[in-house]
Amino acid sequence: MPLRFAPGDADALPLTVLEKEALGAWLDGPGAAHRAWVEAAGFRAGIGEALLLPGDDGPAGALAGYGDRPARARERFPLAAAAQALPPGDYRLAEGLPAEVAEREALGWLLSGYAFTRYRKGPERPARRLVAPGGVDAARVERLAAAEALTRDLVNTPAADMGPAALEAAAAALAQRFAASIEVTRGEALLSENLPLIHAVGRAAAEAPRLIDIRHGDVGPRLTLVGKGVCFDTGGLDLKPAQAMGLMKKDMGGAANVLGLAQTIMEEDWPVRLRVLIPAVENAVSAAAFRPGDILTSRKGLTVEVNNTDAEGRLVLADALALACEEGPEALVSMATLTGAARAAVGPDLAPFYTDDEGLAAALSEQAALWADPVWRMPFHAPYEAMIEPGIADLDNAPAGGFAGSITAALFLRRFAQGAGAYAHFDIYAWQPQPAPGRPKGGAAQGVRALRGALPGTLGL
């Protein structure tokens, strides 16, 4: 079901948004006629509370609780909580929602309507539709909601139906929609095209490894997005335990996020030369699997000692980043579900990012706050460079000791990202572990809205 605003407000119920501290004044003023009804219903204007108001011929309107400031600080989309508590139907905002948060809350309302129904039979869930609030760029909000829905759908699809070939098909469908070009290098051709790390990681799987390469636009600065497309990660010969393997359908979350961002960029027709690179593989176990102790030579010529086959994401990204930098893009972004260390550091809600570009870092933080897309800057801490240098090869894919796992992974990738004007790496989770307003349990976009707002300034647009 498309995440769109209601087409008009003629039949939409007026919705009054009430903060807790404003409830008393409303009941003494415009809501006086409904005081007894509201008090009998126990409505206290808390987040997640909603109430229909009676009229002569049916509901005359509705109330949505907006809580108090501390409660709102704990929710990304407070209004979305009330949206889910309302009966199905169309609503228009009548009063009470501050103008400065209207666009963000409208986005949250749309996102609350998402449902992953590919494998579930039954009638379509009745919608609670919102008329686009005045002053809100409705088309922009719908684009952002559509990008998130695409990302969620891709991540939520299990690996049986979202292997490398299916991820390629999804990328091809997006490219076709916007008349973008797409080239795919598969299987043994990865070796002849000098993409050896992608081949090494994916060669054990039933489906051939591949590099997906999308291009859109032929004028303006170069913007390249690189997304980790490990469609399922067993850990390889360093096999994950069952508990850790259970969510590994989401290990292509980086690819899903860059495709969502690319969709928005192409819809908005940015004057850039956009390139999307997705190394799509499955890290499987077979006689052909790469081994602990192997030393692999990358596209860039740097050698890598494999000290853990479960640290495969940085290997496939390394070749893609090296390829991207051969064109000298003005901006380069990598997104990956890369390390458990990032989750230990900041949990599932925050998207840690790394960049040496101070302007981009500041813009990302500003746009993250504006669009309820929380990110957290992490350091490219130079003293840790020695940790990724094993001595026997140029680089170590899994330094011993267990310290600074997300930072050392980012430092590893930075070795292959030389030549870009500005580089940012996102170590995301791409999963919502518990349902929250506007954020159902399952696949999630992280950092996409922050990037969409921050990149134009970096590119000089």
Side-chain angles (χ1 to χ4, degrees), residues 116-195:
F116 185 63
T117 58
R118 177 170 176 174
Y119 302 97
R120 186 174 60 204
K121 295 180 180 179
E124 189 172 280
R125 187 174 64 174
R128 297 156 179 84
R129 302 192 304 176
L130 181 70
V131 176
V136 165
D137 187 337
R140 176 170 61 186
V141 174
E142 288 179 343
R143 286 192 298 268
L144 293 174
E148 174 111 8
L150 171 63
T151 296
R152 290 178 181 181
D153 282 349
L154 292 173
V155 176
N156 284 330
T157 303
D161 294 321
M162 191 48 66
L167 183 55
E168 175 189 331
L174 184 65
Q176 182 179 28
R177 178 180 163 196
F178 294 101
S181 68
I182 182 169
E183 294 184 5
V184 183
T185 306
R186 305 178 191 85
E188 296 303 305
L190 290 166
L191 295 176
S192 61
E193 293 298 321
N194 192 22
L195 296 162

Side-chain angles (χ1 to χ4, degrees), residues 53-352:
L53 299 174
D56 293 336
D57 300 311
L63 303 180
Y66 206 54
D68 54 21
R69 188 181 298 274
R72 290 193 295 277
R74 293 193 293 269
E75 295 290 352
R76 259 183 239 183
F77 303 114
L79 186 60
Q84 293 303 103
L86 289 165
D90 290 356
Y91 299 87
R92 59 176 175 82
L93 291 172
E95 59 178 309
L97 187 67
E100 63 269 19
V101 299
E103 199 153 349
R104 184 169 71 234
E105 293 288 15
L107 173 63
W109 185 296
L110 292 191
L111 293 177
S112 72
Y114 172 84
F116 185 63
T117 58
R118 177 170 176 174
Y119 302 97
R120 186 174 60 204
K121 295 180 180 179
E124 189 172 280
R125 187 174 64 174
R128 297 156 179 84
R129 302 192 304 176
L130 181 70
V131 176
V136 165
D137 187 337
R140 176 170 61 186
V141 174
E142 288 179 343
R143 286 192 298 268
L144 293 174
E148 174 111 8
L150 171 63
T151 296
R152 290 178 181 181
D153 282 349
L154 292 173
V155 176
N156 284 330
T157 303
D161 294 321
M162 191 48 66
L167 183 55
E168 175 189 331
L174 184 65
Q176 182 179 28
R177 178 180 163 196
F178 294 101
S181 68
I182 182 169
E183 294 184 5
V184 183
T185 306
R186 305 178 191 85
E188 296 303 305
L190 290 166
L191 295 176
S192 61
E193 293 298 321
N194 192 22
L195 296 162
L197 298 187
I198 299 173
H199 179 270
V201 172
R203 70 193 185 201
E207 290 189 16
R210 63 204 69 202
L211 178 72
I212 302 164
D213 188 347
I214 298 172
R215 293 180 183 268
H216 182 266
D218 53 12
V219 295
R222 295 183 184 274
L223 168 61
T224 301
L225 310 177
V226 179
K228 174 186 170 185
V230 178
C231 295
F232 194 82
D233 182 17
T234 66
L237 291 175
D238 288 310
L239 195 69
K240 291 178 184 288
Q243 184 178 8
M245 207 185 300
L247 269 182
M248 282 302 100
K249 70 175 184 178
K250 78 170 185 66
D251 213 21
M252 41 64 70
N257 272 265
V258 300
L259 287 173
L261 177 56
Q263 174 177 285
T264 301
I265 291 169
M266 290 189 286
E267 278 185 324
E268 295 182 348
D269 199 22
W270 290 15
V272 298
R273 286 174 284 180
L274 174 66
R275 190 179 192 186
V276 180
L277 293 171
I278 296 174
V281 303
E282 182 174 347
N283 188 19
V285 177
S286 79
F290 73 120
R291 297 161 291 263
D294 282 356
I295 295 179
L296 308 175
T297 302
S298 67
R299 178 182 184 86
K300 192 172 181 177
L302 295 173
T303 56
V304 182
E305 182 179 7
V306 177
N307 283 309
N308 192 323
T309 62
D310 197 19
E312 83 300 329
R314 68 201 70 185
L315 299 178
V316 299
L317 289 172
D319 272 355
L321 287 169
L323 174 62
C325 286
E326 290 167 11
E327 291 185 338
E330 279 78 5
L332 173 64
V333 175
S334 58
M335 304 190 82
T337 51
L338 204 61
T339 70
R343 308 288 71 76
V346 300
D349 278 5
L350 289 167

Side-chain angles (χ1 to χ4, degrees), residues 13-19 22-23 25-27 30-31 34 38 43 45-46 49-53 60-67 79 82 86 91-98 109 130:
L13 277 180
L15 179 66
T16 298
V17 179
L18 286 175
E19 299 179 3
L23 177 59
W26 185 82
L27 289 174
H34 294 288
V38 171
F43 179 84
E49 292 185 47
L51 180 66
L52 290 182
L53 299 174
L63 303 180
Y66 206 54
L79 186 60
L86 289 165
Y91 299 87
R92 59 176 175 82
L93 291 172
E95 59 178 309
L97 187 67
W109 185 296
L130 181 70

